[in-house]
Amino acid sequence: MKTFIIRRLLISIIVLFGVSIILYTIIRLLPSNYVDSIMRGNPKITPERIDHMKDLYGLNSGIIEGYFDWIVKALKGDFGNSFISGSPVIGDIKDKMWTSFWLALISLILEVLIAVPLGVIAATKQYSKTDYSVTVIALMGISLPSFFFAIVLQQIFAVHLGILPLQGMVDARSHQFMSQFGQYYDIFCHFILPITVLTMVGMGGLMRYTRTNMLEVLKSDYIRTARAKGLSEKTVFYKHAFRNTLIPIVTILGGTLPALFAGAMITETIFSIPGLGRAGLNAITQGDIPYIMTFNMFIAILTLLGTLLADITYAIVDPRVRLS
């Protein structure tokens, strides 16, 4: 196990270098950059002024020169300042990271608590009304775009019924005057609709995946053997079949680690939540190179850690799997 982890970490370093080169090249080849985006539409700006601004932001250097400048500073722990905010990128990411994390973590927990049991129930009652109902819910979750579902919920619960906030994380007018409990309740109310959107959109695929895997496991020889030995259906389903169904699910959940910190770009933007997803979208549209590079490298590291974690968890869930 130790050798496996060390080898994977060394390979990960090489992969990260490759990812950083590809990312930087793609960002620099974009048709627009940060200076163009902030100067666009200003008739008083001169070409000399634009050229001076590009020099200040390091946009006049070549791709190779610019990349080496970025990577040398990054290896020293200096990821630069955001073009948009002017503050260190690391500080911006730390400030916004936990908002996205709690939003995604609560949604993920709800997804697992709802989707996995429903998927198992649907599989054990195949072709019944319960199975069809669960399948319809799963298809709705997979098919509905998050922006459409978010706007529908906003119209119903915020605009027409007026029982939940429309946007934001807190009530800007009264939050600071609330008690400690009142402030937590205020944040809770603002999180209900975004979490509902993320849960509904995410649980459809997991529910469908659980049902399919459970059906495959139930057709296995050892399940037939367990039934032939006279074990109860409850023991067959929840002791023998469910444990093996967990193996591919654990692999999927291990890959969700980056998503916990990456933020949900569309949902955070629609609900005006100041998380990493919304900030990442703004950075991409305005060509904020330091922020995009640091944000994407952060996600790349989490992706590699998530994959490694999934492999290790895989061996824990199924002792037949040995990492070597």
Side-chain angles (χ1 to χ4, degrees):
M1 179 74 82
K2 186 178 176 182
T3 308
F4 170 79
I5 294 174
I6 293 173
R7 190 170 68 241
R8 286 288 296 270
L9 290 175
L10 292 174
I11 294 173
S12 299
I13 293 172
I14 299 171
V15 172
L16 284 175
F17 271 110
V19 169
S20 67
I21 293 170
I22 294 171
L23 274 175
Y24 191 87
T25 304
I26 292 174
I27 295 169
R28 290 299 303 273
L29 289 176
L30 289 175
S32 180
N33 56 53
Y34 178 69
V35 173
D36 291 335
S37 67
I38 60 173
M39 297 296 181
R40 191 177 297 122
N42 187 346
K44 297 180 180 178
I45 203 73
T46 62
E48 291 76 17
R49 176 66 177 162
I50 293 176
D51 198 50
H52 175 66
M53 292 289 288
K54 287 184 177 178
D55 274 338
L56 284 178
Y57 287 104
L59 299 175
N60 273 341
S61 61
I63 294 177
I64 297 175
E65 182 186 349
Y67 173 76
F68 275 104
D69 183 50
W70 177 84
I71 194 69
V72 168
K73 289 180 179 176
L75 289 174
K76 295 176 181 175
D78 178 10
F79 291 90
N81 292 346
S82 166
F83 289 169
I84 298 173
S85 67
S87 53
V89 174
I90 293 294
D92 280 357
I93 290 178
K94 282 182 180 176
D95 290 342
K96 297 178 174 64
M97 182 174 70
W98 295 111
T99 300
S100 296
F101 173 77
W102 287 115
L103 195 66
L105 180 65
I106 297 170
S107 305
L108 178 63
I109 292 172
L110 291 175
E111 277 176 35
V112 174
L113 291 179
I114 297 171
V116 173
L118 284 179
V120 171
I121 292 170
T124 55
K125 298 182 179 181
Q126 191 180 16
Y127 304 132
S128 66
K129 289 181 181 178
T130 305
D131 183 23
Y132 290 131
S133 302
V134 171
T135 303
V136 169
I137 295 172
L139 289 176
M140 284 177 61
I142 295 169
S143 308
L144 279 178
S146 58
F147 68 86
F148 172 77
F149 193 47
I151 292 172
V152 169
L153 290 182
Q154 283 180 324
Q155 287 294 319
I156 294 174
F157 294 99
V159 177
H160 293 294
L161 298 178
I163 56 177
L164 289 173
L166 182 68
Q167 289 181 323
M169 258 185 69
V170 297
D171 189 327
R173 288 174 298 180
S174 59
H175 184 78
Q176 58 181 329
F177 304 110
M178 296 177 180
S179 63
Q180 190 73 32
F181 176 78
Q183 289 183 343
Y184 286 132
Y185 182 73
D186 186 34
I187 295 173
F188 169 76
C189 290
H190 281 80
F191 266 27
I192 290 177
L193 291 184
I195 286 175
T196 304
V197 172
L198 293 175
T199 304
M200 281 299 295
V201 172
M203 75 178 199
L206 185 58
M207 194 188 297
R208 189 80 178 157
Y209 196 76
T210 304
R211 178 186 178 276
T212 304
N213 276 286
M214 188 73 176
L215 286 173
E216 287 181 6
V217 171
L218 288 174
K219 293 174 184 174
S220 304
D221 290 338
Y222 65 88
I223 294 296
R224 279 194 288 271
T225 304
R227 282 173 169 152
K229 288 167 64 180
L231 297 177
S232 67
E233 285 296 293
K234 187 177 178 181
T235 304
V236 171
F237 287 150
Y238 297 105
K239 185 176 180 182
H240 295 278
F242 182 60
R243 182 168 182 172
N244 288 284
T245 305
L246 281 178
I247 296 172
I249 294 175
V250 165
T251 307
I252 291 178
L253 294 179
T256 60
L257 180 63
L260 292 179
F261 292 91
M265 286 188 179
I266 296 174
T267 305
E268 287 182 5
T269 302
I270 291 175
F271 287 99
S272 297
I273 294 175
L276 280 181
R278 185 184 174 203
L281 183 62
N282 289 336
I284 291 170
T285 54
Q286 296 191 47
D288 188 349
I289 295 175
Y291 191 95
I292 299 171
M293 286 300 297
T294 308
F295 176 71
N296 282 296
M297 293 307 294
F298 177 57
I299 299 304
I301 292 170
L302 290 177
T303 302
L304 293 170
L305 285 176
T307 308
L308 178 61
L309 186 64
D311 287 343
I312 294 172
T313 314
Y314 202 92
I316 296 172
V317 173
D318 186 356
R320 294 172 299 177
V321 177
R322 291 287 179 268
L323 303 176
S324 60

